[in-house]
Amino acid sequence: MDAEIILLGKPTYILFRNDETFYTVMKFRLEDKSEKVITVTGLLPQRPETDVIYRIYGSYIEHPKYGMQFKIEAMERPLPSESESVIRYLCGVQFPGIGKKTAEKIVSLLGDDCLTMIRQDPEVLYQIPGLSAEKIEIIKEGISQEEDGMADLVRFLNVHGIGVRNLVRLNRAYGKKALEKLRENPYRVMEECDGFGFKTADKIALALGFEKDDFRRLTALMIALCMDICVSRGDSYCLEDELFERFYKETEIPVSEGTAETVLEEAIGRKQLFEEGDKVFPISQYESETTAAEFLKGFPYEKRDPYDEQQLEDSLEELQEKMSIRYDDCQIAAIHAFFEHPFMIVTGGPGTGKTTVVRALVTLYRKLYPGATVVTAAPTGRAAKRLSQMTDNDSMTIHSLLKWDLETNTFGVTEEEPLSADLLIIDEFSMVDVWLFSNLLKASKRIKQICLIGDEDQLPSVGPGCVLRDIIRAEVVPLYRLEQIHRQKEGSDVIRLAHDIHSGKADFEALTHDVAFFECPRNDIRANVISIVASALNKGYDMNDIQVISPIYNGNAGIDVLNNALQEYFNPYDPTVKQMKVGYTTFRINDKILQLKNQPDDDVYNGDIGTLVDIYDASETENHQAVIVVQFDEIFVEYSGETLSNITLAYCISVHKSQGSEYPIVVMPISWQYAVMLQRKLLYTGVTRARQSLVLLGEKSAFMKGIETLERHERRTCLTERLLLAFQEKQLDQAFDDWES
């Protein structure tokens, strides 16, 4: 068991509580830069309040059934004080390398008003015994950069436990007027500051004395609930009745009949929500759907020159001879259609030849249109790299293509500053949500031709919408389904299983080459995963060839536990090797690392996998912050402070994080413990990540039930209907133009 650890954070949800024994299990969000949600268990005489800051004492443990947890020994609700707020401020991002002990020493010797004292006379810092010249300079520089009004904001946020990350966001948005803006209307931050939700805005408001029946609060709550409902389900809208039901439940105070209708009218009037019949949309979802439909209705906005049909035939024959392949009839039809239509979709499962078709499209386009600009992109970094290899064209992520800004969540490539290219091809399109798609289209008015490539049977996007499904259902653009399986050598059993899953069945006795299912009790899964990975390594594979994929994070066969177990087996503690602990994760040199968020400035993206190559202690760096260095192919990225929360161990990753990637060997545990996640699309997506070999293990009955289970909730969207209406209008316009002429 670890030595006692002290954590600061907020209970977010009480999972279980026995009021007789006081045993409590709850979700707890850490009040630090990671904002990680952990499971906390222990005996608590008083029922904890949610969304209130507590200090908890205890240690991390590994529960045999539920995985990593924090076992609590004591819990207290710290009383906010002026000195505490100043200490937390001096430990913040403005003062890299200044730890809590140093901050406490400064406040203890100079008093609660030390910030003002230092600002007026920085020389007072020399009164602090043991304070190095370097740290004095860091404090002086941090104080000198502080704008008027920042000290008051810092004290306010810290005393009320708002958090240092939000301080940075407010400072970026409002500067020295931040506290003034908050006092006017704290709920404005939900709209004006990226990263602020209703709970944080509400906490600020209540601390400022706003009443719970304040109309601004009720309006902000309505907007937040609509978005929460949509995001949690992947929907573009929610129904008015369910929104009102949630609203009355969440207001926390009695409100008069008809209040919900009045509040909804206000939110619609402010153009934060939009209503069609009984459907209520977050404005971003409504505008994304309408933008996509209107764009496709008018596309292309610049015509492509006609092509030489005979040259296409000759070039296609030449390409097949050069590649020693013969395209099937459907592939040839797709290639010809590509040159006939400005917009089209190519879909198909594994082994059906999507890769060779895409390669042909790019090669032939360059042949027929010398000098044309071809842009290829994908949702993830790994998918973009695979696309580069298959097309011999520099590919990038869609976010990178559109010059996405992490801090403001905006794009540099827009309708006003569009992409300049002739052809745009997007691979792994099933992963693209409607908001990203609409922003891509807005930037594509100069594009003459667009082709979308994807597998409609994979999981839909993480964000709201189901774009590939919706466009296909509308039947308004050319669609080519590749169905004939071409990959007959390595990995052919994987392909067969994938197609069986699509049909809702699986016969493992017929899969004798590249697929194996080892049945074992759920409590044996961890040991068997290690054994299987060890066997593959002994056969000459390395850790980058093998990827363990699990449907969930929690549980004794979840991602967290498997990551720790695999790390301890393959990269165990060595006193001669540097390591760093972040939460309950210990990072060591040579660890396999997963990128969790897009970092466009560093050219690494959500889902990228690299290797930890170095760790620097805080005493070794100029800014006195510990640093982890990870290598992603030829790119080296440094992580410190806030960005440490952007990485985790990658020995085992989720099915969602694996999407858009392929690995030579995939090991995938299956258990009834994952029952809530087991459904056909998730299993299909996980299985199709294996390029050569797939090893499934655990409870086969759970797997069989999963492939019989279709989506538990079919995403509610209106893009199909909008496309149908838009193209009907287009046909009417064309008919009218023909009549006039």
Side-chain angles (χ1 to χ4, degrees), residues 296 343-345 452 471-472 474-480 723 727:
L296 294 178
F343 189 99
M344 67 175 283
I345 298 172
L452 308 179
I471 299 177
I472 289 174
E475 298 182 346
V476 293
V477 298
L479 167 71
Y480 286 83
L723 285 167
F727 276 77

Side-chain angles (χ1 to χ4, degrees), residues 529-531 533-535 537 543 565-572 651:
V529 165
I530 292 173
S531 177
V533 175
S535 176
L537 293 176
M543 207 64 205
L566 288 162
Q567 181 196 46
E568 287 305 315
Y569 189 88
F570 297 106
N571 192 23
Y651 299 101

Side-chain angles (χ1 to χ4, degrees), residues 38-93:
I38 63 174
T39 301
V40 172
T41 66
L43 302 179
L44 302 175
Q46 297 295 324
R47 184 184 182 89
E49 296 181 47
T50 57
D51 205 36
V52 170
I53 285 189
Y54 288 89
R55 185 179 292 120
I56 59 176
Y57 303 81
S59 57
Y60 285 108
I61 62 169
E62 186 177 308
H63 190 280
K65 182 176 180 181
Y66 299 112
M68 296 302 297
Q69 298 181 343
F70 187 86
K71 184 179 179 182
I72 194 168
E73 301 296 339
M75 181 174 190
E76 63 183 15
R77 184 172 175 178
L79 295 174
S81 68
E82 183 68 16
S83 62
E84 273 194 348
S85 70
V86 177
I87 290 167
R88 292 176 70 185
Y89 173 53
L90 286 171
C91 296
V93 291

Side-chain angles (χ1 to χ4, degrees), residues 555-698:
N556 61 355
I559 294 166
D560 291 336
V561 164
L562 290 175
N563 259 325
N564 284 353
L566 288 162
Q567 181 196 46
E568 287 305 315
Y569 189 88
F570 297 106
N571 192 23
Y573 170 72
D574 182 338
T576 65
V577 176
K578 290 182 179 179
Q579 67 177 38
M580 180 194 298
K581 190 153 193 173
V582 180
Y584 59 70
T585 301
T586 299
F587 292 104
R588 299 186 182 118
I589 291 177
N590 295 323
D591 271 338
K592 190 175 181 180
I593 299 297
L594 173 69
Q595 180 75 17
L596 296 172
K597 295 182 180 179
N598 292 330
Q599 285 181 226
D601 292 343
D602 295 308
D603 199 24
V604 290
Y605 296 89
N606 183 3
D608 285 354
I609 291 179
T611 302
L612 198 158
V613 294
D614 214 340
I615 295 174
Y616 296 99
D617 187 77
S619 62
E620 301 177 88
T621 62
E622 289 185 9
N623 63 357
H624 302 281
Q625 284 190 313
V627 174
I628 286 177
V629 183
V630 180
Q631 181 178 358
F632 298 90
D633 295 328
E634 299 83 21
I635 299 170
F636 292 82
V637 182
E638 293 186 357
Y639 299 85
S640 63
E642 191 172 285
T643 59
L644 284 171
S645 62
N646 290 354
I647 57 173
T648 189
L649 297 177
Y651 299 101
C652 180
I653 65 176
S654 70
V655 176
H656 284 86
K657 290 293 184 187
S658 72
Q659 200 169 355
S661 302
E662 283 187 343
Y663 314 94
I665 300 174
V666 165
V667 180
M668 189 173 175
I670 301 293
S671 167
W672 281 107
Q673 196 174 67
Y674 314 148
V676 69
M677 293 291 291
L678 294 180
Q679 53 183 295
R680 184 177 297 174
K681 283 198 172 185
L682 181 134
L683 293 173
Y684 176 90
T685 302
V687 163
T688 54
R689 298 313 91 204
R691 187 165 62 245
Q692 296 175 14
S693 300
L694 170 71
V695 180
L696 299 161
L697 73 158

Side-chain angles (χ1 to χ4, degrees), residues 105-112 114 117-118 124-125 127-128:
K105 185 187 293 186
I106 294 170
V107 174
S108 175
L109 292 172
L110 298 183
D112 294 352
C114 63
M117 293 174 63
I118 297 168
V124 298
L125 289 169
Q127 299 176 18
I128 311 297

Side-chain angles (χ1 to χ4, degrees), residues 531-542 546 665:
S531 177
I532 291 165
V533 175
S535 176
L537 293 176
N538 290 334
K539 291 177 181 177
Y541 293 97
D542 64 38
I546 310 158
I665 300 174

Side-chain angles (χ1 to χ4, degrees), residues 131-146:
L131 194 62
S132 68
E134 282 183 299
K135 290 188 176 181
I136 288 174
E137 286 304 312
I138 289 170
I139 296 170
K140 287 166 66 174
E141 185 178 346
I143 293 290
S144 67
Q145 290 177 350
E146 182 188 85

